């Protein structure tokens, strides 16, 4: 899956890894039932609910998309800890190159494993990657039943407000 990325974005959203469906169609968060795109709109990040085919339009708004691990799987739990840790190292290099203001990792469990932060919680993180602030958000996958769209929208809106405040 090619990244949707440019230098100095406001936020680089970082999924765990592409779904098999997304890998086939070539768009991030494309699997039916994924709530990423409705969540961005609910949070006030996009002017309407984008379709996955509109992913490049995020760049004009200052947002992009990447993944911790490039390998597509049916579910993220098929990734092993070593794979997530290697992905975090590659992500650190990508962040150093593109220098987004925020890196928003979508999935607290994956963040904990990938970055070796077993007690990490949602929200802003105390550590940074260079000058890039780290933020952890829930995974918007439809398989994540812990968060409904309204709660996802509120949590993503917290990040939007932090971005707007500088």
């Amino acid at each position: 899956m090619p990244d949707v990325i440019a230098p100095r974005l406001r936020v680089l959203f970082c999924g765990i890894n592409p779904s098999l469906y997304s890998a086939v169609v070539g768009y991030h968060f494309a699997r039916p039932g994924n709530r990423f795109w409705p969540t961005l709109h609910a949070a006030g990040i996009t002017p309407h609910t984008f379709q996955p085919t509109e992913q490049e339009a995020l760049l004009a708004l200052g947002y992009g998309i990447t993944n911790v691990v490039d390998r597509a799987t049916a579910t993220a739990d098929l990734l092993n800890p070593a794979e997530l840790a290697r992905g975090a190292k590659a992500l650190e290099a990508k962040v150093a190159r593109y220098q987004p203001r925020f890196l928003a990792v979508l999935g607290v469990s994956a963040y904990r494993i990938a970055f070796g932060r077993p007690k990490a919680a949602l929200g802003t993180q105390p550590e940074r990657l260079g000058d890039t602030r780290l933020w952890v958000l829930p995974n918007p996958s439809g398989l994540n039943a812990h968060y409904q769209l309204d709660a996802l929208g509120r949590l993503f809106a917290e990040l939007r407000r932090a971005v707007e405040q500088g």
Side-chain angles (χ1 to χ4, degrees):
M1 287 286 306
D3 291 333
V4 176
I5 197 166
R8 294 177 177 67
L9 293 169
R10 292 174 170 201
V11 177
L12 180 58
F13 288 108
C14 183
I16 300 168
N17 73 310
S19 70
L20 295 173
Y21 186 88
S22 285
V24 168
V25 300
Y27 297 106
H28 292 271
F29 303 102
R31 184 173 180 227
N34 192 296
R35 299 166 299 173
F36 178 75
W37 301 105
T39 297
L40 292 187
H41 179 60
I45 292 171
T46 59
H48 65 274
T49 301
F50 284 9
Q51 296 300 310
T53 55
E54 297 176 274
Q55 67 185 16
E56 296 291 327
L58 282 177
L59 294 173
L61 301 174
Y63 296 89
I65 306 171
T66 190
N67 290 293
V68 177
V69 174
D70 291 332
R71 182 171 71 91
T73 59
T75 59
D77 63 357
L78 296 173
L79 301 171
N80 64 55
E83 212 170 358
L84 288 165
R86 282 192 306 273
K89 291 294 182 203
L91 188 57
E92 288 177 29
K94 191 177 297 184
V95 165
R97 178 177 178 199
Y98 287 97
Q99 302 176 7
R101 286 178 43 209
F102 287 83
L103 175 69
V105 179
L106 308 182
V108 68
S109 295
Y111 177 82
R112 288 172 179 159
I113 295 167
F115 288 89
R117 303 281 189 243
K119 298 195 186 286
L122 295 175
T124 188
Q125 303 302 303
E127 58 274 352
R128 291 179 179 234
L129 295 178
D131 291 334
T132 298
R133 293 178 59 188
L134 293 170
W135 200 284
V136 177
L137 290 163
N139 186 331
S141 168
L143 301 174
N144 182 2
H146 298 291
Y147 292 92
Q148 297 304 311
L149 182 58
D150 60 336
L152 288 169
R154 281 193 304 275
L155 291 167
F156 278 59
E158 287 178 19
L159 170 61
R160 179 189 50 79
R161 286 189 293 276
V163 169
E164 289 171 353
Q165 291 172 1

